[in-house]
């Protein structure tokens, strides 16, 4: 039976910055129009974190029962290693989705944006069918599209929209759109470097991620491109909020992340890059969110 620490490791806490970042940026965009709402931001953060944990447990379960995770480098796999029964991992995923749903309903009720319930349902379906079901879209190279849409566009714009719905009038702004694209690209970069690391095991297992489809050479350059385009978009936000230029603090970290990927680091050598990419995304969110709010 898995210990509590193994369940925490199975939730893949290093991926949680990808959940917090869009809420920070969306809140900063709301503050840029004097529409920041603390409790709305807190509820949105709870929804995002619960969805991320749910996604991680769902992937652990689905990949584990398919045998994709038998020989993996990286975080603890509860199902594949036999640390937890598959049904318990699946239950943990559904419980996380339920928590996200309850918090989302509270947010929708407080803002009167009831149509967002449909968006929430789509988020949960996208989370489950990423690696779940008979024909998971993550196995067909579409996982990056799902991450970009739901952990970038939906999360950032949804955060801004609900806060402005409560404090002013429901809408999105140009800084929120640019920030959403930037965050979405960084979420894709996090997924890309993870999948570059896993190409040797994904290919024989029939998991054709975008990294597998692109091939090692092009996938590595796609990762670097996602980092740098996100930085450029942060700079463009300075047309509305000049303090957004503080994202340029991340120029050196972007270089340091790009080098090992471009020179061909593999396997365990990419694990620190994966973790650092998550923190890079979080730093981007904090800096851009702060820059937008000032």
């Amino acid at each position: 039976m898995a210990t509590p620490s193994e369940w925490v490791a199975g939730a893949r806490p290093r991926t949680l910055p990808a959940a917090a970042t869009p809420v920070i940026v969306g809140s900063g965009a709301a503050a840029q129009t004097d529409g920041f709402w603390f409790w709305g931001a807190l509820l949105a953060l709870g929804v995002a974190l619960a969805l991320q944990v749910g996604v991680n447990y769902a992937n652990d379960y689905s990949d584990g029962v398919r045998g994709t995770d038998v020989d993996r480098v990286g975080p603890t796999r509860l199902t594949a290693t036999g640390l937890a029964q598959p049904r318990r991992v699946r239950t943990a995923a559904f419980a996380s989705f339920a928590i996200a749903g309850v918090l989302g309903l509270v947010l929708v009720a407080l803002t009167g944006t009831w149509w967002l319930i449909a968006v929430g349902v789509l988020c949960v379906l996208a989370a489950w069918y990423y690696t779940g079901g008979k024909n998971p879209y993550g196995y067909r190279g579409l996982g990056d599209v799902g991450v970009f849409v739901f952990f970038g566009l939906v999360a950032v714009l949804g955060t801004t929209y609900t806060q402005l719905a409560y404090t002013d009038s429901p809408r999105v702004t140009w800084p929120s759109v640019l920030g959403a694209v930037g965050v979405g690209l960084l979420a894709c970069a996090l997924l890309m470097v993870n999948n570059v690391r896993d190409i040797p095991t994904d290919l024989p297992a029939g998991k054709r991620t975008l990294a597998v489809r692109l091939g090692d050479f092009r996938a590595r350059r796609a990762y670097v491109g996602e980092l740098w385009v996100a930085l450029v978009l942060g700079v463009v936000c300075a047309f509305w909020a000049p303090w957004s230029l503080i994202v340029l603090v991340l120029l050196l970290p972007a270089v340091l992340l790009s080098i090992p990927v471009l020179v061909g680091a593999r396997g365990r050598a990419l694990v620190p890059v994966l973790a650092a990419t998550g923190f890079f995304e979080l730093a981007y969110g904090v800096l851009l969110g702060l820059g937008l709010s000032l």
Side-chain angles (χ1 to χ4, degrees), residues 12-102:
R12 306 180 192 180
R14 289 180 177 177
T15 65
L16 295 184
T21 298
V23 177
I24 296 170
V25 173
S27 297
Q32 194 260 332
T33 59
D34 297 321
F36 175 71
W37 175 36
F38 174 78
W39 293 109
L42 196 61
L43 284 168
L45 179 62
V47 171
L49 292 174
L51 279 175
Q52 182 68 62
V53 171
V55 168
N56 292 339
Y57 281 136
N59 291 348
D60 187 301
Y61 166 78
S62 297
D63 283 340
V65 296
R66 281 190 169 86
T68 311
D69 277 349
V70 172
D71 183 22
R72 287 280 185 143
V73 174
T76 300
R77 265 74 173 189
L78 297 168
T79 306
T81 59
L83 288 170
Q85 295 179 354
R87 62 181 179 83
R88 292 186 180 275
V89 179
R90 183 181 59 194
T91 299
F94 289 160
S96 299
F97 293 147
I99 292 171
V102 170

Side-chain angles (χ1 to χ4, degrees), residues 136-241:
Y137 67 90
Y139 279 55
R140 292 183 286 146
L142 297 175
D144 298 70
V145 176
V147 165
F148 178 78
V149 171
F150 291 102
F151 285 95
L153 302 183
V154 171
V156 175
L157 298 179
T159 298
T160 303
Y161 187 87
T162 51
Q163 289 189 37
L164 293 182
Y166 185 83
T167 60
D168 187 6
S169 60
R171 66 189 188 281
V172 296
T173 63
W174 277 112
S176 68
V177 172
L178 292 170
V181 175
V183 169
L185 287 173
L186 291 180
C188 288
L190 188 64
L191 179 61
M192 184 66 74
V193 72
N194 177 80
N195 290 341
V196 166
R197 181 199 64 189
D198 292 340
I199 286 176
T201 53
D202 283 342
L203 191 56
K207 187 175 182 179
R208 296 185 60 80
T209 62
L210 183 59
V212 170
R213 289 183 176 275
L214 290 175
D216 185 82
F217 181 84
R218 288 188 294 177
R220 290 172 183 273
R221 279 144 186 81
Y223 165 82
V224 172
E226 287 162 345
L227 288 184
W228 288 94
V229 172
L231 276 181
V232 170
L233 291 173
V235 170
V236 174
C237 286
F239 283 105
W240 291 269

